Amino acid sequence: MINQDQYVISIGKEQLAALPIMNYPASITVVDTAEAAHLALKELALCSEIGFDTETKPSFRKGARHKVALMQLSTHDRCYLFRLNKIGICSELKNLLQNPQIIKVGLSVHDDFHALSRTENIEPQGFVDLQQLVKKFGFTDISLQKIYAIIFGERISKSQRLTNWEADSLTGAQQAYAALDAWACLKIYDYLQAGKFNSETSEYRHIPKS
């Protein structure tokens, strides 16, 4: 007899590649001035939970590291793109990140804050790491792309990941990519918290090969 604990939830490369591409469905606001940051954070402070992610300009030289250029904070219908390379981390943004009453949902958030520590001393509170959450459901594939694919049957394109996040202006493709990552984190969290994902009936449930 097979023990339930022997099953895992994972998706193969071919299965992932066969899924339709996910298109970002909500609104986007680029925050690149102090005034825009104040208005955005006033709205976000009213939320009980938001999606979270960051982007950093890629470095192709060994040992070279850039500061976080972009922070994405998303509600269900709008993602705010904070251009930290232009406006930095204001006190209102720092307060939100340290507010335990507002849930911030991200993926591998420890890595994000390790990178942010090069810019500002922040003591993050109220954060949920999806990588830890999905393990409770038996997921062994814990990238955002694979988590989203397993739950919703769509594929998040990663084509913009290594683009220049410190560019004078972000392209529409960059904006959509960045917004989708934060928005998807929130959508996944709400779906799991609502008990809508059944690991026992998932088509990606199987016994791992020994």
Side-chain angles (χ1 to χ4, degrees):
M1 181 177 292
I2 298 172
N3 191 302
Q4 293 295 323
D5 293 337
Q6 291 179 272
Y7 287 98
V8 299
I9 305 293
S10 65
I11 184 171
K13 290 182 179 179
E14 292 183 359
Q15 289 176 300
L16 180 64
L19 294 177
I21 291 288
M22 168 65 185
N23 292 313
Y24 178 67
S27 300
I28 297 172
T29 296
V30 177
V31 180
D32 55 7
T33 66
E35 181 181 7
H38 173 73
L39 293 174
L41 289 161
K42 188 176 180 179
E43 293 295 321
L44 289 166
L46 300 175
C47 300
S48 60
E49 55 186 37
I50 55 180
F52 166 86
D53 195 24
T54 66
E55 303 296 340
T56 301
K57 180 181 178 179
S59 174
F60 301 104
R61 291 189 297 114
K62 186 176 181 180
R65 296 185 300 180
H66 297 286
K67 293 181 178 180
V68 175
L70 188 72
M71 182 182 296
Q72 305 98 277
L73 297 174
S74 182
T75 67
H76 292 291
D77 54 17
R78 181 174 299 275
C79 187
Y80 297 91
L81 306 182
F82 288 80
R83 302 212 64 192
L84 302 186
N85 61 306
K86 292 191 173 187
I87 62 173
I89 299 176
C90 65
S91 59
E92 288 175 284
L93 178 54
K94 185 174 180 178
N95 289 341
L96 183 142
L97 298 174
Q98 296 182 153
N99 185 345
Q101 302 303 317
I102 300 176
I103 295 173
K104 281 78 66 174
V105 186
L107 192 88
S108 190
V109 294
H110 179 271
D111 293 339
D112 290 300
F113 278 97
H114 178 72
L116 283 168
S117 68
R118 295 197 288 270
T119 301
E120 183 76 25
N121 182 25
I122 299 171
E123 297 181 7
Q125 295 188 64
F127 278 82
V128 174
D129 192 329
L130 281 181
Q131 286 189 330
Q132 300 305 314
L133 180 60
V134 298
K135 287 179 180 178
K136 299 177 182 179
F137 292 84
F139 283 61
T140 54
D141 287 334
I142 55 175
S143 70
L144 181 63
Q145 187 184 45
K146 290 186 175 181
I147 294 170
Y148 195 91
I150 289 169
I151 296 176
F152 297 112
E154 293 180 308
R155 178 165 53 92
I156 295 175
S157 171
K158 308 304 288 185
S159 63
Q160 298 295 311
R161 184 171 67 89
L162 296 179
T163 56
N164 181 11
W165 297 103
E166 295 182 7
D168 287 341
S169 60
L170 299 177
T171 66
Q174 282 181 305
Q175 292 181 32
Y177 167 87
L180 177 54
D181 276 7
W183 180 88
C185 285
L186 182 59
K187 184 179 179 182
I188 291 167
Y189 175 77
D190 281 347
Y191 196 86
L192 295 177
Q193 290 298 99
K196 295 180 179 179
F197 179 75
N198 187 341
S199 58
E200 293 187 7
T201 59
S202 171
E203 64 179 294
Y204 302 107
R205 179 178 184 258
H206 61 92
I207 299 173
K209 295 179 181 179
S210 56

